Amino acid sequence: MTEKCSRCRARPLLSPMIRVIGVLWLTGCGGCVTPPQDVSVGLALKGSGDLPPRLSKDGHELTLSRLQLTGTIELDGKQFAVLTGADVPLDRAWTVLAERPLARGSYDGVKLDLTGLALDGRYDGKDFHIVASRPRRRELQLAKQWQVELGKPSALSFLADPKQWMTSNEGSGNEGILDPEEEKTAEGLMDRFVDSIAAARDDDHDGVEDK
């Protein structure tokens, strides 16, 4: 009878071990890469009971109808999405800006880096379209971490107050409606928009931070 070499004798012992390692890898053990979860980031309008947003003061009437955003969104320092004229109809309380898979884990910081913004509406019966192209960045910390878990679709919202976009003296109680035809209105639009936003986990898209 021919004696088996050491390599042949070891093969039956190694094969079950290889099978076990394969099972562990497939079930997510042993530090392997786990699949991401689809999530969305959107823009929610604060105080969205009156849509599209309308303002009336000192004999002037303003209605906002559409917003377009160009720039990038980052989560905890990593790029999440590129916005290229992202269209936001202002007759909706919530609009998705980007939707894609995201690695599971905890996120507590979001950054909106804008390079362009356009706003459409009507002022005293005349249509207007104004553009802001001065870059502006806003970094926001979430009050509670955004937990991204497999099998649990979730969303993050930029909460924006549209009544601040076309008014002066925000928060003073004496806000005046800005004339879209005046050059300074377009010059300050980017700042007014960016300063109006906050961020929160908002799975139900109601513009209120989830508990």
Side-chain angles (χ1 to χ4, degrees):
M1 181 175 179
T2 303
E3 184 179 354
K4 293 182 180 180
C5 69
S6 59
R7 183 180 300 176
C8 294
R9 289 197 302 270
R11 188 172 298 156
L13 296 176
L14 291 175
S15 297
M17 184 180 299
I18 292 172
R19 288 197 294 270
V20 170
I21 291 173
V23 170
L24 291 174
W25 186 86
L26 290 173
T27 56
C29 300
C32 63
V33 177
T34 56
Q37 171 63 45
D38 286 339
V39 300
S40 55
V41 174
L43 183 76
L45 302 181
K46 294 180 182 178
S48 55
D50 186 20
L51 293 176
R54 296 179 177 86
L55 290 172
S56 177
K57 190 167 186 179
D58 300 328
H60 296 290
E61 300 284 340
L62 174 77
T63 301
L64 304 179
S65 59
R66 189 170 299 274
L67 179 73
Q68 289 186 319
L69 302 173
T70 298
T72 60
I73 298 171
E74 292 184 9
L75 292 170
D76 285 352
K78 295 181 180 180
Q79 183 172 289
F80 174 77
V82 176
L83 307 178
T84 306
D87 190 47
V88 182
L90 299 178
D91 58 354
R92 304 176 187 173
W94 191 89
T95 300
V96 63
L97 297 176
E99 190 170 25
R100 53 158 290 184
L102 183 65
R104 290 184 284 168
S106 300
Y107 299 85
D108 56 14
V110 59
K111 179 169 70 175
L112 181 62
D113 199 345
L114 291 178
T115 57
L117 183 155
L119 182 65
D120 293 277
R122 288 181 67 83
Y123 177 74
D124 289 348
K126 294 176 59 178
D127 292 340
F128 70 83
H129 173 81
I130 57 177
V131 176
S133 56
R134 184 173 65 84
R136 177 73 194 275
R137 176 180 298 172
R138 183 75 186 271
E139 296 187 40
L140 300 162
Q141 291 296 120
L142 304 178
K144 295 191 298 183
Q145 286 188 327
W146 183 18
Q147 298 288 341
V148 176
E149 303 174 65
L150 187 63
K152 295 183 178 180
S154 61
L156 178 76
S157 288
F158 291 107
L159 314 176
D161 184 355
K163 293 185 178 180
Q164 292 187 26
W165 305 345
M166 291 292 290
T167 57
S168 60
N169 301 318
E170 293 88 339
S172 69
N174 189 34
E175 293 84 355
I177 300 175
L178 297 172
D179 186 343
E181 295 186 356
E182 293 186 4
E183 185 176 347
K184 64 180 181 180
T185 300
E187 290 176 351
L189 176 60
M190 183 71 81
D191 285 339
R192 292 191 299 273
F193 172 78
V194 171
D195 290 342
S196 79
I197 62 174
R201 178 168 180 168
D202 185 20
D203 293 351
D204 52 7
H205 307 162
D206 66 351
V208 178
E209 184 173 28
D210 295 343
K211 297 182 179 180

